[in-house]
Structure formats: C-alpha cells, structure tokens
Amino acid sequence: MSAPVNRPRPYQSYVYAYPHKTAYRPLPDRPSLRELWSAERKDALSLYLHIPFCEVRCGFCNLFTRIGAPDELSTRYLDALDRQATAVRDALGDRDPVRFAAAAFGGGTPTFLTAGELDRLCDIAEKRTGVDLRAVPLSVETSPATATADRLAVLADRGATRLSIGIQSFDDQEARAAVRPQRRADVESALSRIRDARIPVLNIDLIYGIEGQTPRSWRRSLDAALAWEPEELYLYPLYVRPLTGLGRRAAGSNQAWDAQRLELYRTGRDHLLTEGYEQVSMRMFRRTGAPAQSADDHACQTDGMIGLGCGARSYTSALHYSFDYAVDMHQVRSIIDDYTATEDFGRAEVGRRIDESEARRRHLLQSLLQAEGMEVEGYRQRFGHHPAHDFGAELERFASLGWLDETAAPDRLRLSAEGLAHSDALGPELFSPAVRAAMSAYEPK
C-alpha cells in the first residue's frame, strides 16, 4: 500500500512574481544602474509606472499605497518620477537599441491622478524613457470612483489598450464585508463610462471567499460582470494578510474557508468556460477571440522590466530591485516622502540577486502556472537539462497530487485542472530554501 499523500493547503500565497518582494534586502554595494543594465538586452523592455495613491484603502489590500495625496504630494511624486525616469534612461545608454514592447500604469490607483496629471504621467513615460505609448500595449488600473470621463478620455487619447477595474463584488453587502465602500449603481456607471471611452480591452477583477458570500451571490456577481462583455476577467481568492484592514479583524483562515474558496473558484471557472472564456491561469480568463495584451497573468521568463515609482520593481537577468516595501500606513507614507525627496536615482537600493538556480526556478514556476504550461525544449535550450533533471522531486510530488496533466504532449509540461486550482499551493513549493528563509525572516511593517 502506498503512503498517503500529504496535501498542502490550497491557499498559501499568490505568486505573481518570484522571488517575492519580502525576500529583498538592502543592497550593501548599491550597484549603479548603468552597470546593471550594461550587458542586458534592451530591445523588448517592459515599462511599469507605479502610482501609490488611492481614495480608500480596501480591507484586503496589502499593496504599497496610501490614502490621498495632501499638500500637493502628487505633484512632488510626479516630479520625482520624472527625475527617476531621466536617470534610468541615461543608465540604459545608447550603445544598443532601446525599445519598449509593453507599458503599464499600476498602483495604488493611477486614475487617482487628475486628468492633467495623467497627461503628465504619459509625458514622463514618452519623453523621458522613449516609449511610444500609442505603439505598444498600454494597461492601466482604475477604480469605480476614479474612472471619470475626463480621465478616461486622456488615457484613450494617449493609447491605452487595456483598462483593469477592481470591482471585487457587485453585491453592496459583500463589498462592505471586504471593507470596500462602494455602491453597485456607481460601479455600473463607471463601467458604462469605460465602454464609452472605447478602450479595446476591459478587465474586471472579482474576489471570492468574502464573508457571507454564497455560490448564488457569487454567480450573481459573475453574471453582472458578464453583462458588460469584458474581454478579460480575473477571479481572485480573498486573502487576509498582516497589517491590512481585514488582517486586524480576523485571526486567519481555516479548512472550512479553504473549502469555500475552492467551491467558489470551481463555480466561477466552470461558469466562465461555458460563457465563452478561456482559462489563461488560475486567476485569468480571456473571452475567446479577445486581443491578448502582451504578457499574461505572470510575466513568464521576462527580464528586462523597468519599474518607475517607489513601489515598482525592476528586473535584470541577475538582479531584481526596487525601493523599500511596507503595508502599514505610517511606513508607506515615510517611504513615499523619502522617494519624493530623492535627487539621485542612479543606483539600486533594495533587491535580490538572481543566480542560475533561481532563474531555473523562476522559469519553471512562472511558466507552469500558465494554463498552456511550459515547452520543455525551451527550458532545455536555456538551462541545458530537462526540467525533471533539476526538479525531479518536486515534479514527482506534483504528479502524486494529481496536479500534472498526464495527457499533455511529451514536449509540454502542463498542470491539470486540479493543479491550476491549487496554483497558490504549488507555487510556494517551488521557492528555494534561501528565498523561503528570507521571506520568513522578513518583519512586516
């Protein structure tokens, strides 16, 4: 008789990047950006601009953001962003061609900025880095309260191809339970304005696992979203994280909550598949025939990320770097204040080195979490081995759990439907011991 399989809990960590930012540390040598980028390919860079302001702080949110921007803070922040963008473009140099393949504005809530400030944000991106926003996919995050007609007009005019709006629930009571003050009437008005702006791709974010949510109420939110025929839908499981609004209220999760979230996930997945959507990852669903917007849910093997703003990350092949990270409002405000006072942006301050072992993990992890899986030959060409050579024990365990698709072609490593459902357990199992140790040692602030 075979030994029973030890099944991990399904909801451990949303792996949207590896290594996680809590594994970053201050860099003693503070390497110059010019040095970091000198040997990197620069012909297909991604550009990300981070705006750390929101009109409210949702109860589940652990993003690097603050409520409001008093005393012309948004102006000072854009001034600093301008200085940083100038320094980064100078560091990229002109020896090799510098081209951007995609751009995104995130946060926080980029549309917290006024229409005029959004125009300036686009100018900073174009005039300082050289990106042509009308020639590359440009994704922008928004919220119901800030998706105003004048802001949307600026984004449409400047080339936005995708707008992502966090709705989370169309049920007012569920929204309050998630500490997200909004009314469905205002949500519907915002969606109407977005469609009027004719930005090609609309993405709607929804959350499952909210207190009081049922399969029936979840289905109603899904149908309310589908009524707008969004090109994309993201279905997020609710997490209760330290130092967030909900984290101060709740003691954590339990098996019953895990079971509820799995049930709601399967309800949502199955409903979207029957409604003409294809599954791209555990979270992401795209309407059949809708245009793809460069990198999907996970960036896969993408290095070459230029992050501007105090909450943004930058990726070279050998170093991931950013600024300090916090969730607590006082700490966030302090970091933003330090950022706006910075004059010299020519060095990396906080980050984590990426050796070949970590690069292999990143490649496997972020490819495997895509519904289409990973091409084995691509991994072999990059690292010289079959992935089973480097991760035999992990892949054997995933197979024993039923997480690997046994019907996949020999040249493709792909998750089963159950494996995709357990992405938030599978991802952390691929973290290296060193990254695990650094994340465990991190003190939330």
Side-chain angles (χ1 to χ4, degrees):
M1 180 181 295
S2 60
V5 177
N6 179 26
R7 293 191 171 275
R9 295 189 56 194
Y11 297 103
Q12 296 182 33
S13 176
Y14 171 26
V15 186
Y16 58 89
Y18 179 80
H20 190 269
K21 211 170 182 180
T22 54
Y24 291 13
R25 294 294 184 271
L27 298 166
D29 56 340
R30 297 180 64 245
S32 73
L33 301 191
R34 185 179 293 275
E35 171 192 341
L36 288 175
W37 287 97
S38 62
E40 298 290 315
R41 288 187 57 179
K42 310 178 190 71
D43 57 344
L45 297 171
S46 296
L47 178 67
Y48 177 79
L49 276 67
H50 177 254
I51 303 299
F53 309 120
C54 291
E55 72 277 11
V56 297
R57 183 75 177 260
C58 301
F60 52 83
C61 179
N62 72 334
L63 297 178
F64 186 90
T65 187
R66 61 160 292 165
I67 299 172
D71 303 321
E72 299 190 355
L73 178 58
S74 59
T75 298
R76 288 185 281 118
Y77 186 83
L78 289 173
D79 290 344
L81 200 65
D82 195 314
R83 294 194 297 274
Q84 185 189 7
T86 300
V88 169
R89 181 60 186 86
D90 180 65
L92 293 177
D94 295 310
R95 186 183 66 182
D96 303 313
V98 176
R99 300 187 183 93
F100 290 88
F105 301 159
T109 309
T111 51
F112 175 89
L113 299 177
T114 66
E117 289 171 332
L118 284 172
D119 226 5
R120 185 184 177 195
L121 182 69
C122 293
D123 281 344
I124 290 171
E126 293 197 328
K127 295 178 181 179
R128 298 296 180 252
T129 72
V131 64
D132 183 351
L133 295 178
R134 294 179 180 85
V136 301
L138 169 60
S139 178
V140 183
E141 297 173 9
T142 190
S143 69
T146 62
T148 58
D150 59 339
R151 291 174 169 104
L152 295 172
V154 169
L155 295 175
D157 179 65
R158 299 303 295 260
T161 56
R162 178 182 183 270
L163 205 70
S164 179
I165 183 167
I167 302 298
Q168 320 315 349
S169 176
F170 282 82
D171 183 299
D172 290 352
Q173 185 173 342
E174 289 179 5
R176 287 193 296 272
V179 195
R180 183 181 178 85
Q182 68 183 25
R183 296 186 308 133
R184 177 167 177 175
D186 296 331
V187 168
E188 300 281 0
S189 295
L191 289 167
S192 179
R193 292 191 295 272
I194 291 170
R195 280 313 198 192
D196 288 345
R198 300 187 180 281
I199 293 172
V201 172
L202 165 64
N203 172 70
I204 295 177
D205 289 345
L206 297 175
I207 283 181
Y208 55 91
I210 300 170
E211 183 179 359
Q213 193 175 50
T214 66
R216 179 173 295 181
S217 68
W218 174 231
R219 175 73 174 262
R220 285 198 299 266
S221 271
L222 290 166
D223 286 335
L226 289 171
W228 292 96
E229 299 182 348
E231 284 71 26
E232 296 175 3
L233 277 161
Y234 272 69
L235 308 185
Y236 288 95
L238 179 64
Y239 276 96
V240 174
R241 299 178 173 96
L243 303 182
T244 63
L246 289 178
R248 295 185 178 94
R249 292 184 178 188
S253 56
N254 52 45
Q255 290 183 345
W257 192 30
D258 286 345
Q260 180 210 17
R261 285 180 286 180
L262 272 176
E263 178 188 11
L264 294 173
Y265 161 78
R266 290 170 176 142
T267 296
R269 175 199 63 193
D270 294 348
H271 188 47
L272 294 186
L273 292 177
T274 63
E275 292 294 322
Y277 286 75
E278 59 182 347
Q279 186 167 17
V280 178
S281 69
M282 172 186 168
R283 286 164 171 74
M284 183 181 179
F285 295 80
R286 179 184 292 128
R287 198 176 72 204
T288 302
Q293 294 289 297
S294 68
D296 286 327
D297 189 13
H298 301 273
C300 292
Q301 287 60 257
T302 303
D303 298 316
M305 169 70 78
I306 299 291
L308 302 176
C310 59
R313 310 165 195 237
S314 296
Y315 301 152
T316 71
S317 59
L319 180 72
H320 292 188
Y321 64 93
S322 65
F323 296 92
D324 202 2
Y325 169 70
V327 175
D328 177 77
M329 290 299 292
H330 296 292
Q331 297 281 354
V332 169
R333 289 171 182 168
S334 176
I335 294 170
I336 293 173
D337 288 343
D338 288 345
Y339 175 82
T340 61
T342 299
E343 294 293 334
D344 180 6
F345 286 101
R347 294 184 175 274
E349 303 289 342
V350 177
R352 188 167 189 87
R353 300 284 180 181
I354 306 296
D355 60 17
E356 183 169 313
S357 174
E358 294 291 13
R360 289 197 299 265
R361 288 183 181 276
R362 184 167 184 256
H363 186 117
L364 175 64
L365 189 156
Q366 297 192 241
S367 298
L368 199 54
L369 292 179
Q370 298 292 301
E372 67 179 8
M374 185 183 77
E375 290 185 0
V376 171
E377 185 56 30
Y379 181 95
R380 193 199 310 270
Q381 288 181 5
R382 183 176 181 186
F383 300 111
H385 298 289
H386 190 283
H389 177 277
D390 298 324
F391 300 100
E394 292 90 341
L395 293 175
E396 184 176 340
R397 173 162 164 75
F398 298 160
S400 72
L401 289 163
W403 290 356
L404 297 184
D405 183 359
E406 296 179 352
T407 69
D411 64 345
R412 185 162 294 274
L413 191 61
R414 186 169 63 209
L415 295 183
S416 64
E418 197 64 10
L420 274 178
H422 287 79
S423 292
D424 286 5
L426 184 151
E429 293 218 358
L430 288 172
F431 292 179
S432 71
V435 166
R436 287 176 184 272
M439 293 175 66
S440 296
Y442 175 79
E443 295 184 6
K445 59 183 180 179

